[in-house]
């Protein structure tokens, strides 16, 4: 059975592989603080169904407690080690089975092996509190090896620490007109793609949320990153098939090893 990737918007994806549904960084809100969902409908009920949910880091647009509370009772939830201490609201989600992980940890879910890998990103629960948990990416290995990068900057040992992968879900933008340290824009994501050398890639983390009142401030930063990544990836990693999905769209990937 091929792996199937569905992009729901921002960093929220469903990876279906080996009859297991994996959900990444679920965010089901129309609005989050100063951010408004400007493109794509709020993910439907089927998006909330998963066997395991991966949370990459503590920022509220990736670890969103109201969205996690909508998951089916009994869902397995992997979070960075230290997250329940830094985000006490996690401890109130008693219907979920929470497992803390750090880079190098492996968790088996049915026929899938999920491995936590490092990310170069701020691990604090901003804007409050000094407590940190490591920002993570994850490699989901079943019929395919799928890398979900979460939020990360480009770092020297990325290919070594992530390992060989077939599919890369890479952030290519953000939710505002400027990206700070520890992020990939379209150009840096294309460089990451050249280092990782997967068979296929899907750009994520762009074109969904934008600050209220800033519609006219550098609007191309909202719309353009996906197309820019496709263009730059064709130069930096011409052997990689790039699938730019619309919100709610899926791609099925046959992987032959």
């Amino acid at each position: 059975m091929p792996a199937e990737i569905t992009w729901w918007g921002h960093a929220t994806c469903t990876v279906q592989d080996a009859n297991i549904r994996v959900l990444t960084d679920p965010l089901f809100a129309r609005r989050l603080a100063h951010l408004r969902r400007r493109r794509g409908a709020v993910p439907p009920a089927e998006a909330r169904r998963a066997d395991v949910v991966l949370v990459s880091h503590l920022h509220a647009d990736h670890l969103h407690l109201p969205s996690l509370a909508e998951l089916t009772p009994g869902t397995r939830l992997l979070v960075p080690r230290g997250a329940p201490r830094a985000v006490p609201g996690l401890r109130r989600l008693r219907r979920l089975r929470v497992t803390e992980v750090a880079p190098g940890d492996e968790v088996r879910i049915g026929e899938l092996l999920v491995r936590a890998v490092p990310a170069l990103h701020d691990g604090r629960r901003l804007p409050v509190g000094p407590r940190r948990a490591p920002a993570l990416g994850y490699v989901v290995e079943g019929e395919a090896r799928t890398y979900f990068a979460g939020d990360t900057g480009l770092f020297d040992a990325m290919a070594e620490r992530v390992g060989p992968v077939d599919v890369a879900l890479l952030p290519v933008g953000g939710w505002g007109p400027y990206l700070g340290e520890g992020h990939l824009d379209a150009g840096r994501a294309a460089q990451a793609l050249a280092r990782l050398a997967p068979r296929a890639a899907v750009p994520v983390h762009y074109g969904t949320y934008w600050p209220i009142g800033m519609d006219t401030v550098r609007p191309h930063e909202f719309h353009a990153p996906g197309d820019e990544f496709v263009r730059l990836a064709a130069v930096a990693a011409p052997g990689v098939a790039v699938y730019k999905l619309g919100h709610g769209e899926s791609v099925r990937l046959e992987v032959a090893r």
Side-chain angles (χ1 to χ4, degrees), residues 52-53 55 68 71 75-79 90 96-99:
V52 60
V53 175
V55 169
L68 295 177
L71 299 173
T75 300
R76 188 81 175 269
L77 177 65
L78 305 189
V79 300
L90 266 176
L96 305 180
R97 296 185 294 145
V98 179
T99 300

Side-chain angles (χ1 to χ4, degrees), residues 19-218:
N19 294 314
I20 301 293
R21 286 176 63 92
V22 181
L23 179 65
T24 66
D25 287 352
L27 183 56
F28 304 137
R30 295 186 184 278
R31 179 174 173 177
L32 172 62
H34 64 300
L35 304 180
R36 175 170 54 91
R37 192 175 181 110
R38 285 196 56 215
R39 182 180 286 178
V42 172
E46 68 174 284
R48 291 148 174 79
R49 182 172 60 84
D51 298 291
V52 60
V53 175
L54 312 179
V55 169
S56 63
H57 63 286
L58 304 190
H59 293 172
D61 57 323
H62 293 259
L63 194 167
H64 186 243
L65 291 171
S67 294
L68 295 177
E70 294 182 33
L71 299 173
T72 303
T75 300
R76 188 81 175 269
L77 177 65
L78 305 189
V79 300
R81 185 170 296 166
R85 187 168 70 109
V87 187
L90 266 176
R91 297 197 291 266
R92 293 194 286 271
L93 299 177
R94 296 184 179 89
R95 302 186 308 163
L96 305 180
R97 296 185 294 145
V98 179
T99 300
E100 300 179 52
V101 293
D105 288 348
E106 296 181 344
V107 178
R108 184 163 291 281
I109 312 291
E111 296 298 314
L112 286 186
L113 183 68
V114 179
R115 177 167 53 91
V117 299
L120 180 64
H121 194 67
D122 191 330
R124 291 175 294 172
R125 177 67 164 183
L126 298 173
V128 297
R131 289 180 174 164
R132 295 176 178 267
L136 301 174
Y138 294 91
V139 176
V140 177
E141 185 166 352
E143 298 293 329
R145 293 166 297 197
T146 301
Y147 169 47
F148 169 63
D151 253 355
T152 187
L154 194 64
F155 56 98
D156 290 341
M158 176 179 277
E160 176 186 348
R161 298 300 299 273
V162 171
V165 293
D166 302 300
V167 186
L169 311 181
L170 294 178
V172 301
W175 49 253
Y178 303 102
L179 288 175
E181 293 293 324
H183 292 86
L184 296 178
D185 60 11
R188 291 191 291 270
Q191 293 178 50
L193 196 65
R195 296 184 185 188
L196 296 165
R199 299 171 186 266
V202 176
V204 302
H205 203 279
Y206 78 100
T208 308
Y209 291 91
W210 202 247
I212 293 169
M214 296 187 70
D215 289 359
T216 61
V217 178
R218 297 174 64 87

Side-chain angles (χ1 to χ4, degrees), residues 220-240:
H220 64 284
E221 296 289 354
F222 177 81
H223 295 286
D227 289 331
E228 185 73 355
F229 175 69
V230 172
R231 183 181 70 82
L232 295 173
V235 176
V240 180

Side-chain angles (χ1 to χ4, degrees), residues 240-251:
V240 180
V242 177
Y243 299 90
K244 187 174 80 75
L245 302 178
H247 294 81
E249 288 187 346
S250 302
V251 60

